[in-house]
Amino acid sequence: MKSVFRILLFAMAMTTFCVSTYAQKDNRQRMTREQLAETQAKYIAQEMAMNDTTAKKFVATFCQFQKEIWALGPRPKRGVSSGTDAKTEQAIKERFAHSQKILNLRHKYYEEYSKFLSQQQIARVYELERKMMDRLYHRSQKERLKNNK
């Protein structure tokens, strides 16, 4: 009887421990877009060893740029080639218009960055941003594959 009681007590303890550990994993919250943009900007500023004043300007400008990009909405879909020529033409023109808006924003913020960063620093910002976006894309693809299993 004592051994059954011990086994039962051990099983309950393990269940309690496992459930609390599992619940801790689920409490992780994803960052909001704004938090992610700010984290990215701070990372870039740190990698480039910016002074505090420049870093603050950069973080504010980078976050504002991201907000304006998000305001454009998602990219138009690519797979419209099965429709009529008119629909395909319209889809292509919508993608061109969206790309042009992004290009205009990039140019606008290039001018803003030029006020407090050198040209080499701006090039490095773009390089670091591209690497980060690639890393996030690959991470999301791994998550998608993991969730589809």
Side-chain angles (χ1 to χ4, degrees):
M1 186 70 176
K2 270 188 172 181
S3 63
V4 173
F5 181 70
R6 285 183 184 167
I7 292 173
L8 184 60
L9 186 61
F10 179 73
M12 287 183 359
M14 289 302 292
T15 303
T16 303
F17 176 74
C18 291
V19 168
S20 65
T21 304
Y22 183 73
Q24 288 175 0
K25 290 180 183 178
D26 287 342
N27 285 342
R28 289 186 315 172
Q29 291 183 349
R30 291 177 57 147
M31 284 188 193
T32 64
R33 293 193 299 192
E34 291 80 8
Q35 290 170 330
L36 180 61
E38 187 173 345
T39 302
Q40 287 175 323
K42 287 179 180 178
Y43 171 80
I44 291 171
Q46 181 182 5
E47 283 293 307
M48 295 180 56
M50 292 180 187
N51 63 37
D52 288 344
T53 307
T54 306
K56 285 180 184 178
K57 286 180 187 176
F58 174 74
V59 168
T61 306
F62 185 88
C63 290
Q64 186 59 39
F65 170 62
Q66 292 299 317
K67 287 176 185 176
E68 289 192 35
I69 290 288
W70 299 327
L72 294 178
R75 293 180 184 164
K77 301 285 185 219
R78 288 186 179 194
V80 186
S81 59
S82 61
T84 64
D85 279 350
K87 285 184 180 180
T88 304
E89 180 183 12
Q90 181 179 356
I92 291 170
K93 286 183 178 181
E94 285 174 4
R95 286 198 318 259
F96 283 155
H98 190 79
S99 296
Q100 187 62 50
K101 289 175 186 174
I102 291 173
L103 183 60
N104 291 344
L105 280 176
R106 287 180 57 86
H107 188 268
K108 172 184 171 182
Y109 281 92
Y110 162 76
E111 296 293 331
E112 289 295 317
Y113 291 146
S114 294
K115 293 177 183 175
F116 58 90
L117 297 175
S118 71
Q119 297 304 303
Q120 290 176 341
Q121 286 176 315
I122 294 171
R124 180 77 174 132
V125 164
Y126 291 154
E127 178 186 334
L128 290 170
E129 183 182 11
R130 181 81 252 144
K131 284 181 181 178
M132 246 186 302
M133 295 308 291
D134 287 344
R135 213 174 315 137
L136 289 172
Y137 173 76
H138 290 298
R139 184 185 298 168
S140 72
Q141 293 304 309
K142 285 180 184 177
E143 286 289 324
R144 184 174 289 162
L145 288 174
K146 187 172 105 176
N147 291 337
N148 287 336
K149 288 184 178 180

